[in-house]
Amino acid sequence: MRALQFTGPDQFRVNEIDIPELAPDEVLVASRSVGICHSDIELLGGRYIIPFDYPVIPGHEWSGEVVRAGRDVRRLGVGDRVVGECVIGDDHFGFSISGAAAEFFVAKESWLHVLPDNLSWTQGALVEPFSCGYYATVRADNLDASDTVVVLGAGPIGLGVVAAAAGHGAKVVVAEPSTARGELALQLGADQVLDPTTDGFTEQVLDATEGVGASVVFEASGKPSAMATALEVAAFRARIVYIGIDVGGSAPARLGLFQSKELQARGIIGSPGVWPQTLRFLSRTGTDLSPLVTASHDLADAEKAVSAVLEDRSQVKVHLTSSARL
């Protein structure tokens, strides 16, 4: 079978390897759609948050079809459409253990969730990044249509927050300098897009929020300066959720605003425990995340796909597709 392998720092290629053998509690999955994430690029460069070894098959944002089942598997069967979580105990699927960027791969039944019938393969491969945005809205404490939300940053995670917040009925204002990404935010339910690099941005947010600021602020860019800006655009007693990740950076911030505005703030990582809710949310609301996919390549052309992510900053989400059969 064909598989994309990272073979060393900044080295990658599509190789022919054997179809993996099943353990009794595992299923063999045929990949159907696999997203390439910024974390995959960190992995390719030899940088990741837990230890791993080359060669490794990436791919933790995926959808696929069960084609074989181990003898101890009870809940899933051949033909089931599935998606799967990437943090499994001490291991990360697609990082410390090989992932879904192959025609076939193995996964334990306990990692997997059935993909609802009304979600396409493409939408299924977007569940993992969207789950992070959805989890952010869960952690915003009773987010609903009474809220006015500001989302700082319209990368893949920020756009997921936009879709989730709009799905909850909130008014959504997005801060994003890229016109193309701003247009995507509007497609996903944003009410307004502002350029945070322009003079008077904070005043523009006040204008968009009837002079009071945002009742909920999601910081999704990971830029320290934006983390500080979250305090400025927040309303009195607002909830702030920090999603974007920066380790070691710094920026001046008016920390006294925490007290004078009586703010609540929390940081989150990933989407622990919310995959079943995420799938129900997507299925029931009809939220269509497919506009996030700005390029798609057959798995055989995975080298072109990785190069596109590395070289073309206009890409939001690049997918690999496969129709392989046993």
Side-chain angles (χ1 to χ4, degrees):
M1 69 169 189
R2 287 177 293 198
L4 171 64
Q5 289 186 307
F6 293 169
T7 56
D10 301 317
Q11 299 176 35
F12 56 94
R13 62 177 296 171
V14 175
N15 288 322
E16 285 284 341
I17 63 174
D18 293 335
I19 295 175
E21 296 294 326
L22 285 181
D25 61 344
E26 292 178 334
V27 294
L28 184 69
V29 181
S31 293
R32 293 295 174 247
S33 193
V34 183
I36 299 176
C37 172
H38 178 72
S39 296
D40 297 321
I41 302 307
E42 293 293 302
L43 180 75
L44 176 61
R47 304 173 299 275
Y48 192 60
I49 58 176
I50 64 173
F52 71 94
D53 295 309
Y54 294 115
V56 62
I57 299 170
H60 63 282
E61 303 176 1
W62 61 270
S63 60
E65 180 181 354
V66 176
V67 293
R68 286 179 186 161
R71 65 175 181 270
D72 293 342
V73 172
R74 297 290 179 266
R75 184 171 53 87
L76 298 173
V78 172
D80 282 345
R81 304 166 72 244
V82 292
V83 293
E85 304 191 36
C86 64
V87 177
I88 308 111
D90 293 334
D91 281 309
H92 291 191
F93 182 78
F95 299 97
S96 58
I97 55 177
S98 283
E103 290 180 316
F104 304 98
F105 62 92
V106 294
K108 292 189 182 297
E109 182 182 35
S110 58
W111 307 343
L112 305 181
H113 303 274
V114 174
L115 182 65
D117 290 340
N118 64 336
L119 299 182
S120 68
W121 294 124
T122 297
Q123 291 171 304
L126 291 165
V127 169
E128 195 281 334
F130 175 74
S131 70
C132 299
Y134 176 77
Y135 180 60
T137 64
V138 170
R139 297 291 281 156
D141 293 342
N142 301 314
L143 177 71
D144 62 21
S146 70
D147 285 303
T148 298
V149 167
V150 167
V151 181
L152 301 174
I157 302 302
L159 289 167
V161 174
V162 169
H168 283 293
K171 178 180 179 179
V172 181
V173 178
V174 176
E176 171 56 49
S178 164
T179 300
R181 294 196 177 209
E183 291 174 352
L184 273 176
L186 293 171
Q187 287 185 55
L188 292 170
D191 296 277
Q192 189 173 355
V193 178
L194 303 174
D195 184 346
T197 65
T198 59
D199 292 336
F201 167 69
T202 302
E203 289 73 23
Q204 293 176 45
V205 172
L206 287 175
D207 289 342
T209 58
E210 301 179 356
V212 299
S215 59
V216 182
V217 182
F218 295 101
E219 201 304 294
S221 74
K223 296 180 179 178
S225 59
M227 295 177 183
T229 297
L231 306 176
E232 306 284 344
V233 299
F236 183 69
R237 290 182 177 169
R239 298 98 78 194
I240 302 174
V241 182
Y242 289 100
I243 315 161
I245 297 173
D246 178 272
V247 178
S250 63
R254 294 203 297 158
L255 296 180
L257 292 174
F258 271 108
Q259 186 172 17
S260 63
K261 291 185 177 182
E262 296 187 15
L263 301 177
Q264 300 177 44
R266 58 168 45 101
I268 66 167
I269 294 178
S271 53
V274 299
W275 274 63
Q277 298 97 304
T278 301
L279 287 163
R280 288 196 297 271
F281 181 91
L282 288 171
S283 180
R284 293 174 182 174
T285 63
T287 300
D288 183 6
L289 303 170
S290 59
L292 292 175
V293 181
T294 47
S296 184
H297 297 263
D298 188 272
L299 181 63
D301 295 321
E303 293 169 31
K304 292 181 181 178
V306 175
S307 295
V309 175
L310 291 170
E311 298 167 7
D312 184 357
R313 298 195 65 180
S314 70
Q315 299 294 343
V316 178
K317 187 61 67 176
V318 175
H319 272 196
L320 304 173
T321 61
S322 174
S323 56
R325 304 284 177 184
L326 287 178

